[in-house]
Amino acid sequence: MSIQTQATRSTPLTEEQLQSYEKNGYIVIPQGCSNDLIDAFNSHIHTIRSNDPIPQWAAPHAGAESKEITEKQRFSLRLFNPHLHDGFSLQVLKLPIVRGALAQILGDEAVGVQSMYFYKDPGTPGQAAHQDYHYIRNNPNTLTAAWVAMEYTNEENGCLYVIPGTHKLGLLPHGKVKNLAEHEAWTEETENIDLSQEIAVILNKGDILIFDSLLIHSSTRNRSERWRRSYVCHYIRHDSTIDREDLKKKISLH
């Protein structure tokens, strides 16, 4: 009896979508992930953070004991690289539709290098405008993100904003965050850019936003009573190399 694998790679993007990606630096795949899978994954992550004790890899603060973690922290602070420890998170990183789309965009097979599950509960600040390549250097630069909406995401609960076409500007200088009322202080932001050019990316539950590592993007504070959960994974083409030691492990999408 043979074992089934994801050997056959799909080609989900049309030529028009590929041209749009080339021009704008991003593309949205509507309902790229089913609602049933989204619900199961959200429930799975909630169960992990509900455990006592929370597994060390899933703890809101590295090295923290469960007794030191508040209920708010359990369900607000992100899980970093869950795919390295959790089978369900690994399989969502390896979504066949993402694998196929990345191969079309990059011209060859991609591999996973990072995953993050964001809660973004009500009141949580966003991240100032930036380019992912500033944080994750790779050579040659093929870094690409797939941002899976775990629920409806709009301006009220802190959606992503992008400046179309900025992926063609190259890496720009980044400096200290200026608007601390809106954005997290621990990040950095792209300098000397016209934020009036930003547009909101409204996503329905299950939509997948794929974007270039040089695309300038940001998010705003969650001003709603809803969460804005998302699963964000980063990929590179299989022949690229990552500079950061903590992201050197390449995950096959087969």
Side-chain angles (χ1 to χ4, degrees), residues 120-139:
K120 197 163 186 179
D121 55 323
T124 300
Q127 186 170 356
H130 66 283
Q131 297 168 299
D132 286 347
Y133 182 67
H134 173 69
Y135 296 101
I136 307 176
R137 305 296 175 91
N138 65 110
N139 183 45

Side-chain angles (χ1 to χ4, degrees), residues 8 10-11 32 52 64 72 110 119 124 145 148 152 236 244 247 250:
T8 303
S10 65
T11 53
D52 276 317
K72 177 176 173 58
Y119 283 99
T124 300
V148 184
Y152 177 60
I236 56 174
R244 280 174 50 177
L247 300 181
K250 296 180 177 181

